Amino acid sequence: MLDQNEPDAAAVVNPSGRSSFLLIGDHAGRVVPNALANLGLGDAELSRHIGWDIGIADLGQRLAVALDAVFIRQVYSRLVIDCNRNPGAADAIPAVSDGTTVPGNAALTAAARAARVEAIHTPYHAIIAAELERRIAAGQPTQLVALHSFTPKMRGVARPWHCGVLHNGANDALAKAMLAVFRADPALVVGDNEPYAMDNIDYTIPRHAFAAGLPYVEIEIRQDLLASRAGIDEWSARLTAMLPAALDLAAPSPT
C-alpha cells in the first residue's frame, strides 16, 4: 500500500513532551497513498472536511509546544481509512461522504480493505498504544485529549456551536470539567455531545481510554474558527489555558 518514500501512518510531534496531556489527531492529515491515485478525487474535494479535520494538524502542533505535550497525528486522509472507526465498520472506508462519491472506495475487495487496515489503521493505533505503555512504565500520568474539527454546515443545516465536548459516562470527569470551563466563557456556544455524541461509532477514545480507565476528553472545534492563522492562534491560546484549568477542576477534592 505504501512505498518506501511515503510517510508512516502517524507523525509524533514533541515525542519527549513532559505534559500529562497526550494529544491525538485521528483526522489531522489528508495524504492519499500514491497507489490509490487520489481515490479518483480532485484536490478541492480532498481539501474539504470530508478529507480531514481542517486546522487540527496546526492546532495540535501549537499545543504540543505550548503545553510541552506529545501530539500523535494521523497522516493519511480519513477517506483512505478512518482511524476513529472500527476497521471492520462500513464507514471506515466510505464509498460516499457528505454527498461526494469516492470512486477509489467503490466495491473494494476484502483484500483491498485489509491492505489499508494493515498499512495505516493498525500502525496508527499501535503507536498510540506504545506511547501509553511508555508513559505507564515511566510513571507518567496521562489524560488522553482527542482533537477534532467539524464543518459549520452539514447537509444544509448550520451548526451554531463554536466547540463541543464528547464523552460517554466512562471516567468522564475531565470531559465534564472541560465542558464547564468552556461554558464559563460567555463568548462561546458550547455543545455537550454536539455536534456529535460519543457512541459506538467512536473508536480511539473507547479503545485506548475506556479499558485503561484513563481520563479523557474529545474536543470538537468548528472549522471556520480554525481556517486562519489568527484563528489557530486564538484556539491554541484558549486551550493552553483551559486544558490545565479543566484538569484542576476534575481533580478529586482533598479529604
Side-chain angles (χ1 to χ4, degrees):
M1 176 61 61
L2 304 180
D3 66 41
Q4 61 182 0
N5 296 317
E6 292 183 292
D8 293 335
V12 182
V13 179
N14 193 26
S16 60
R18 295 172 293 177
S19 172
S20 61
F21 294 117
L22 175 57
L23 310 174
I24 304 293
D26 294 321
H27 304 143
R30 64 183 189 96
V31 175
V32 177
N34 294 330
L36 299 183
N38 277 351
L39 299 169
L41 298 174
D43 189 64
E45 291 291 348
L46 291 171
S47 298
R48 289 179 59 216
H49 74 94
I50 63 173
W52 63 327
D53 276 3
I54 295 166
I56 291 301
D58 288 342
L59 177 64
Q61 179 93 24
R62 292 291 302 274
L63 287 173
V65 173
L67 294 168
D68 191 24
V70 178
F71 175 41
I72 300 174
R73 66 176 184 87
Q74 174 56 264
V75 169
Y76 289 90
S77 173
R78 63 189 302 174
L79 292 177
V80 176
I81 187 164
D82 190 329
C83 286
N84 193 33
R85 298 290 184 272
N86 186 304
D91 64 347
I93 305 177
V96 179
S97 182
D98 192 22
T100 294
T101 298
V102 185
N105 290 349
L108 291 183
T109 65
R113 293 182 68 93
R116 299 193 196 184
V117 174
E118 180 181 1
I120 297 170
H121 195 286
T122 297
Y124 172 70
H125 285 284
I127 288 169
I128 296 173
E131 172 61 18
L132 290 171
E133 290 173 5
R134 182 196 70 78
R135 296 161 82 94
I136 291 169
Q140 183 177 7
T142 298
Q143 297 88 38
L144 200 60
V145 180
L147 300 171
H148 291 264
S149 66
F150 63 94
T151 183
K153 184 180 290 188
M154 189 71 168
R155 299 184 183 93
V157 179
R159 289 156 149 186
W161 310 281
H162 297 107
C163 58
V165 173
L166 278 57
H167 57 98
N168 192 24
N171 198 35
D172 62 356
L174 178 62
K176 289 181 175 177
M178 190 76 238
L179 185 63
V181 170
F182 274 145
R183 285 178 164 170
D185 185 339
L188 295 179
V189 178
V190 183
D192 181 358
N193 275 326
E194 295 285 1
Y196 305 105
M198 182 173 287
D199 52 25
N200 292 333
I201 292 175
D202 280 274
Y203 185 81
T204 298
I205 290 291
R207 172 174 174 173
H208 297 287
F210 285 7
L214 290 177
Y216 72 89
V217 58
E218 186 164 334
I219 298 172
E220 292 270 1
I221 301 169
R222 208 173 65 204
Q223 288 169 355
D224 58 314
L225 305 177
L226 298 175
S228 67
R229 174 54 57 189
I232 290 170
D233 288 348
E234 178 181 345
W235 276 92
S236 175
R238 179 177 278 127
L239 290 177
T240 296
M242 286 183 167
L243 278 166
L247 183 60
D248 288 345
L249 184 61
S253 300
T255 56

